[in-house]
Amino acid sequence: MLCAISGEAPQVPVASTKSGNVFEKRLIEEYISENGKDPVTNEDLMADDLVELKSSRTIRPRPPTLTSIPSLLSVFQNEWDALALETYTLRQHLTQTRQELSRALYEHDAAVRVITRLSRERDEAREALSKITINGGLNNNGDAMQVDSQELPAELVTKVDATQERLSKTRRKRAVPDDWATPDAIQTFTSVQTSKPLYTGARTVSLDSSGDLALLGGSDGTAGVYSISQNKLVQEFAVGASVTNTLWAGNKAIVSTSAGLVKVFENGLETSSFSGHAGEVTALALHPSGEILASVGVDKSYIFYDLTSSVQALQISTDSALTTAQFHPDGHLFAAGGVDGQIKVYDVKTGANPANFDASGPLQSLDFSENGTWLAAVVKGSTSVSVWDLRKSAQIKLLETGGQINEVRWDYSGQFLATAGPSGLAVQQYSKSAKEWSEPLKSAVPAVGLDWGLRAQSLVSLSADGIMTVLGTK
C-alpha cells in the first residue's frame, strides 16, 4: 500500500470510506484540518470518515536529541511530509487553473466569432437600408408608391450642376446692393406693426420674395397667408395636423406637419401632398434653383422632391432623428442637424456624407451664410450661436446673445445674422474690413421664428401665440 499523497508506504495507513484511497494518517488529518476535503476526489471528508487499516508496523525508537543522526532523520522526514503535501496541493491547483484557462480561452474565441458575425450582419443591414427608400408622396394625380435609388435623377442633377456653376462664379465678387440696410439703420429698428393673435402654437414664419406675404400656421391644423401691407390674413387652408415648418417656392406655399405630411398650395388650393416620412416632419429647405424641396424628420431620413413634376425624387436614411436643415447657397451641399448633436453635411447629387460637425447638443436651427463658407448653428436651449467655417471644418466664432435662441437667419448680404427667442430678437453684424463682430440690434420682442424683409429693411417675427411683429424704421 502506498499513500495517495506522499507516494510512500504509510506507517499508519488509513482509508477513506468515501473514496477508498489510502493515506498516511498524519498527512490526511493535516490536509482535512486545512481543507475539509478528500485530496484525490475533492469530496467533503472528515476525520470520522477515515478507517485505520491493520498492518504490521515497525515501532520507531524514541528519537534522541537533534544532535544525533536519528533525530535529524526524523526532522527531515517531517519536512519531507510537509513538502509532499504542499506539492500535491499545488499540482491540484495547477490542474484546476489549466482547466479554467482553457474554458476561458474557448469562450473568448466563441464571443469573438459571434461579435464578428453580428457586426457583419449589422453593416449589411445598414447598407441595405441606406439603399432602399420608399416614395409615399402623392401628387394631385395620385401616383403610386415607388422605390428610388440613392442618387438624384439625371434631370435634377443637371439642375444642381447648372445652379452651382451660375452662383459660385459671382459669389465672391458680389457687392452689397446699394439699397441694402446699413448697420445704422438696423440699430434704429423698432416695432412698426403688430397683428392680433393668429395661430396658437405657431413655430415658424416664412416671407415670399416680395416681402409682403408671410406663411405661418399653428397647432390647430390650419395654415394661412398673412399680408403685411393689409395687416390681415388673406388665405387659409387646412393641413390636418400641427404645422411644423413653412416656406415659399415662388408662388407655392409649402407646409410640413407633425403627421409626417408635406403639402404644397397654389392660390389657396392644394396641388401636391407627400407622405414619405414615418413620423413628424421637423424642417423644410428649398434648393437655390427653386425647383428642389427638402424635408427632414424624426424617422431619421431626409427627402428631396421635384417641385416641377410634384414627385418624390430621393429619400436617404441617416443614423439620427433630424431636426433642422438647409441647402448651401450654391446648391451642391445639404446640411441637416440631428438630436445626436451632429451637423451632417451631404452631397446633394450622390447622398454621400463628406463631413460632420460636432455640436454640444441636439440642433435647433441651421443657416448658411451667403458668403458660401460659413454655417450658423444653434443647439436646443442654447443662448449662443456657433459659426462654422466649411473650409477649415472648425468652429471659428461663438456669439453669445444672453437669451435662449429658437431660430437663426443670415441676410442676403452675409453681414447680418438675426436670432429669435423667448427673450427677444438680436442682430449680430460681421464687418469684413475690420474683421470684428458687433450687435447693432437687441429687441425685447419674444419670438419663435423670424425672417428678413425685402433688402433687409425690416425683420418679421412670430410669437408662440401667433402674433406677427414687423420691426423696421419709422
Side-chain angles (χ1 to χ4, degrees), residues 194-217:
T194 302
S195 74
K196 64 180 181 179
L198 301 174
Y199 299 108
T200 303
R203 300 192 196 180
T204 181
V205 61
S206 177
L207 291 180
D208 72 344
S209 57
S210 71
D212 181 56
L213 299 179
L215 179 61
L216 66 157

Side-chain angles (χ1 to χ4, degrees), residues 23-158:
F23 304 97
E24 175 68 58
K25 185 176 181 180
R26 69 177 186 279
L27 296 181
I28 188 61
E29 287 180 345
E30 182 179 352
Y31 188 88
I32 291 174
S33 67
E34 293 180 359
N35 301 284
K37 296 182 180 294
D38 188 309
V40 177
T41 63
N42 208 33
E43 296 178 338
D44 291 338
L45 186 66
M46 300 178 61
D48 295 340
D49 296 325
L50 300 176
V51 177
E52 188 171 340
L53 302 178
K54 299 296 183 178
S55 64
S56 60
R57 64 178 66 177
T58 302
I59 300 175
R60 291 182 178 181
R62 191 170 68 181
T65 63
L66 294 178
T67 56
S68 65
I69 291 179
S71 175
L72 291 173
L73 291 176
S74 176
V75 172
F76 292 157
Q77 180 64 51
N78 292 336
E79 291 296 328
W80 169 257
D81 292 343
L83 181 61
L85 183 61
E86 183 180 1
T87 302
Y88 183 80
T89 303
L90 289 176
R91 285 177 178 174
Q92 278 191 320
H93 290 169
L94 178 60
T95 301
Q96 182 180 0
T97 302
R98 283 177 173 174
Q99 292 175 347
E100 293 176 354
L101 178 60
S102 177
R103 187 182 302 110
L105 290 174
Y106 174 78
E107 291 176 353
H108 176 267
D109 184 62
V112 169
R113 290 197 299 270
V114 171
I115 291 173
T116 301
R117 177 175 57 82
L118 292 177
S119 298
R120 184 177 64 253
E121 292 177 355
R122 179 203 63 189
D123 294 340
E124 292 174 352
R126 282 181 175 176
E127 183 179 1
L129 182 61
S130 66
K131 292 181 179 179
I132 298 177
T133 59
I134 304 299
N135 182 2
L138 297 178
N139 62 19
N140 54 340
N141 296 321
D143 289 343
M145 182 179 292
Q146 65 186 34
V147 178
D148 298 311
S149 67
Q150 205 174 2
E151 296 186 359
L152 279 180
E155 60 273 17
L156 294 185
V157 170
T158 302

Side-chain angles (χ1 to χ4, degrees), residues 283-306:
L284 298 171
L286 184 66
H287 189 266
S289 67
E291 299 180 27
I292 302 173
L293 173 70
S295 65
V296 298
V298 297
D299 61 353
K300 304 181 181 181
S301 73
Y302 68 85
I303 302 177
F304 290 161
Y305 311 88
D306 185 348

